[in-house]
Amino acid sequence: MKKIAFIGTGNMGGAIVRAVAKTVEPKTVCISNRTRNKSETLASECGCEVAAGNLACAKDADYIFLGVKPYAIRDVLREIAPVLTKEQVIVSMAAGVESSAMRDIVPDQPIVRILPNTPCAIGEGLVLIVPCGDVAKKTVDALAKLLAPCGRVDFTDEAHADAGMVIGGCTPAFTYQFVEALADGGVLSGLPRAQAISWAAQAVAGSAEMVLHSGKHPGQLKDEVCSPGGSTIEGVKELESHAFRGAVMEAVEAAFEKNKKLGK
C-alpha cells in the first residue's frame, strides 16, 4: 500500500488511525483534520504524516477514510473530487449517510462504509464493513486486513447498516452508563469509588466474553447466576420492576431512528 488517507480524526477517526498504524508502515498514513494541532498530536503519537489539507491528503491514496460528521461528508467529497482517480477507495464512517448520497458526488469511486466503535483504539472494538455496489472482493478483503487490529471485524449490508451502527457504535456509551450505575451502587453499599468502578468494569467485560465464547443465550447465562432465593435474583427482580430491558430496547430504537435522520 502506497498511502492511506484519513480526513477527520476526532475520537472515532483517531481510534482507527491508531489501529491502522499498527498494520502498516506509519509513514504511509496521512491525516488531515480541521484543527491542525489535533492532527499533529495524533501524528506524533502514531508516527504518521500530517497533510497540508484535505486535497493533499486524498491525492494518490489507496484508501481515503472519511471521519467527518454526516452533515459535512458531501462537502468534503466535493472538495477532494478533483484529485480522485477511479482506483481510489472511499471509506466512509459517517452514520446514516447511504452510498447513493455519496455516489451522486463521486459516481466513479468504489465506496465502502464502515461502522466502528471507540474501543477500536485499544484493539477491543467492533468494525462492521458495508461493501457498497460492486466493490471488488479483494478491495474489501484488504480493508478487513487493514482494520484487523481494531478488534472484531464483521460484514453487513446497507439495509442493516443503521441498526448495526447502533448496536456496535452506540452500545459503548450505554455500557459506560451501566458501569457507572453499578459503581454508584457499590459506593452506596460502602465500596471505595475506584474499586467499585474497576470491579464493575471487569465484571461487565467478563460477562460479555462469556456470551461470545460460551455460545449460550444471554438468558441462560443469567439463569445460571441466579440461585433460588438468592441475592442475584432479588436484584434481577428490581431491574425488571423498573423496566430495565424495555428501557434498553427503547434506547436502541431511539438511536436507530436518529441514525436514519443523520444522513438526510
Side-chain angles (χ1 to χ4, degrees):
M1 242 169 242
K2 46 187 182 177
K3 182 179 175 184
I4 303 164
F6 285 86
I7 298 176
T9 55
N11 290 337
M12 195 64 265
I16 302 298
V17 170
R18 290 180 180 90
V20 168
K22 298 174 183 176
T23 308
V24 300
E25 172 57 45
K27 291 294 183 183
T28 65
V29 178
C30 181
I31 62 177
S32 174
N33 196 66
R34 185 175 56 182
T35 307
R36 186 174 176 84
N37 66 340
K38 288 186 177 180
S39 296
E40 292 173 345
T41 299
L42 183 62
S44 176
E45 175 190 340
C46 299
C48 49
E49 301 290 335
V50 178
N54 293 342
L55 278 172
C57 193
K59 186 176 175 58
D60 299 324
D62 294 329
Y63 290 91
I64 303 169
F65 287 79
L66 302 181
V68 298
K69 299 294 185 184
Y71 67 81
I73 195 165
R74 294 170 179 82
D75 289 340
V76 171
L77 285 171
R78 291 188 188 98
E79 179 187 0
I80 67 175
V83 302
L84 298 181
T85 64
K86 294 180 181 180
E87 292 73 32
Q88 293 175 278
V89 181
I90 299 294
V91 184
S92 170
M93 304 183 214
V97 182
E98 296 182 354
S99 60
S100 58
M102 292 181 274
R103 210 172 294 284
D104 285 343
I105 301 168
V106 285
D108 299 323
Q109 299 306 128
I111 296 175
V112 180
R113 294 174 62 189
I114 62 170
L115 314 173
N117 63 18
T118 53
C120 290
I122 60 168
E124 295 292 342
L126 171 67
V127 182
L128 300 179
I129 295 179
V130 186
C132 304
D134 56 354
V135 177
K137 184 178 183 299
K138 66 178 182 180
T139 297
V140 177
D141 289 345
L143 180 61
K145 185 176 180 180
L146 192 65
L147 294 170
C150 291
R152 179 172 178 174
V153 178
D154 212 337
F155 302 87
T156 189
D157 54 30
E158 283 210 274
H160 297 96
D162 287 325
M165 180 62 191
V166 174
I167 297 301
C170 300
T171 289
F174 304 157
T175 304
Y176 301 145
Q177 284 186 290
F178 181 51
V179 170
E180 183 182 29
L182 288 171
D184 284 345
V187 172
L188 185 64
S189 302
L191 289 178
R193 171 70 62 182
Q195 285 182 328
I197 292 174
S198 177
W199 295 348
Q202 181 58 53
V204 169
S207 301
E209 288 295 326
M210 282 287 286
V211 174
L212 291 173
H213 290 288
S214 70
K216 296 178 180 179
H217 189 281
Q220 180 182 349
L221 291 170
K222 179 263 295 177
D223 290 347
E224 290 174 0
V225 185
C226 294
S227 302
S231 56
T232 304
I233 193 63
E234 191 70 29
V236 167
K237 179 176 76 73
E238 281 297 308
L239 290 175
E240 293 290 358
S241 70
H242 289 84
F244 175 71
R245 286 188 293 177
V248 172
M249 291 171 68
E250 288 179 9
V252 170
E253 185 178 31
F256 173 66
E257 293 301 326
K258 180 67 174 181
N259 228 17
K260 291 193 293 185
K261 295 176 182 177
L262 286 175
K264 301 295 187 276

